[in-house]
Amino acid sequence: MGIIRAEEAVRLGEQNDRAVLTVAGHSSDSRECAELLAMLGLDAGQRRQRTA
């Protein structure tokens, strides 16, 4: 069960990363980006460095 939860956490983290990048790419400035992320319940601080 722990493996499934870990895999789900990774999947949700990747989904959050994609959503943050999408919002940032469509925002007109940093203030708008921050407001949209807050409204959507997304956390840009969760973004992780990907390892190859």
Side-chain angles (χ1 to χ4, degrees):
M1 198 64 144
I3 293 172
I4 294 171
R5 287 185 181 157
E7 289 172 351
E8 180 68 6
V10 169
R11 188 188 67 75
L12 288 174
E14 290 171 349
Q15 184 178 10
N16 182 77
D17 291 351
R18 287 190 305 273
V20 167
L21 288 174
T22 300
V23 170
H26 289 87
S27 300
S28 59
D29 58 28
S30 61
R31 182 178 181 194
E32 180 183 56
C33 182
E35 289 176 358
L36 290 171
L37 291 174
M39 282 190 275
L40 295 170
L42 297 171
D43 183 6
Q46 287 182 348
R47 187 148 162 69
R48 300 169 313 282
Q49 292 290 348
R50 298 187 189 266
T51 57

